Amino acid sequence: MIGTDSTYPPFESIDPATNQIVGFDPDLMAEMAKLINIKPEFKTTSFDTIFEALASKQFDAVMSAVTITDERKQKVDFTDPYVSIGQRVVALKGNDKIKSYEDLKTNNFQVGVQRGTTGEQAALTTAGVPDANVKRYDDIASAFADLKNNAIDAIVADGPTVANYTGQPEYQDAVALVGDAFTTEDYGIAVQKGDTELLNGFNAALAQLKQNGKIDELKRKYDIKE
Amino acid sequence: MYSVIPARILFYNEAHKEGIQMKGLRLALLLGLLMAVLAACGGSSTGTDSTGAQGSPGGTGTTGASGSAAAGSAAASRAGTTAGLPDLNGRAV
């Protein structure tokens, strides 16, 4: 079983027509499964507790647009990187006071993040937003809903995902990307500590899919820009 | 001189040689078939390697060497279709 937070397009989301988890990560895992002979099944779970769930063997792996960090490496093992991204800022259209991530710590701005993500860390550290001004959400969709309703001033999250939300019909007239990515992060697939069989299999499959251009093909399909 | 060899000796020699060749061919075909079956049973499970390729030396095998080629190619394929990919045997994840 593979744990994922399926509110994170274009990497994973629920297709309302089929109620299936779709996106870059499930597509990539399907390609990997063909190469190393595994039968993957994705299950939606909360991102906030996803690594604890993996460590306690509720999942065999976590594939959920996960940034490889030293802190997470204490609990789980990671594959080689398969996508590089950066944190970006989204604000309401017409908000002239937020022109880059450096403005987020000013004017008592309320900044929305998803709990337990590197976006939360980036808002607190790199952007320097006071903890009291960081509003934490269980999923990024709720943060976008609050931004559109003017309940917060900005969102910090992974670049491809905020670009995806910003382009959705529901949000494209209300919100806009601000500035460029201000961090550099690598996504990896997490496995239980010591599961070398799965880790080596994933790494071998990823290497093959990088080499044959399949990962680049999927990035183009899902408009993921690094 | 060739002209002094009795015809029946010539006939016996040719027939004997032909018999040996026929036996050798049958043996080689049997060996080739056996190796192809072994290769098919022990080979592809990743779906990306070619069982047909493993079996083909058996089909053309006329010597014992063709059998070991078939077995060798099966082992190489299990090790991962020219790319060293592991086979997790249908593990559910």
Side-chain angles (χ1 to χ4, degrees), chain B:
Chain B
M1 299 295 285
Y2 296 112
S3 58
V4 300
I5 298 172
R8 68 187 175 86
I9 293 175
L10 260 180
F11 176 77
Y12 171 80
N13 282 345
E14 289 303 314
H16 185 63
K17 200 189 320 176
E18 196 173 304
I20 291 170
Q21 283 176 341
M22 285 302 291
K23 281 181 185 170
L25 185 59
R26 281 183 195 154
L27 184 62
L29 283 172
L30 272 172
L31 274 172
L33 188 61
L34 180 64
M35 291 305 166
V37 169
L38 285 174
C41 291
S44 170
S45 55
T46 62
T48 53
D49 52 1
S50 171
T51 306
Q54 293 163 17
S56 62
T60 56
T62 56
T63 69
S66 68
S68 61
S73 71
S77 295
R78 272 198 303 278
T81 318
T82 72
L85 293 175
D87 183 344
L88 273 65
N89 296 310
R91 177 176 167 179
V93 297

Side-chain angles (χ1 to χ4, degrees), chain A residues 1 34-41 60 195 197-198 201 204 208, chain B residues 45-48 81 83-93:
Chain A
M1 191 71 72
K34 285 189 274 185
L35 292 177
I36 59 172
N37 190 19
I38 56 172
K39 293 183 172 62
E41 184 181 350
D60 297 283
D195 189 349
E197 179 188 60
L198 201 52
Q208 175 92 339
Chain B
S45 55
T46 62
T48 53
T81 318
L85 293 175
D87 183 344
L88 273 65
N89 296 310
R91 177 176 167 179
V93 297

Side-chain angles (χ1 to χ4, degrees), chain A residues 183-203:
Chain A
T183 65
T184 303
E185 305 173 17
D186 291 322
Y187 284 173
I189 304 167
V191 300
Q192 293 167 10
K193 276 221 167 281
D195 189 349
T196 53
E197 179 188 60
L198 201 52
L199 187 67
N200 293 340
F202 282 167
N203 278 333

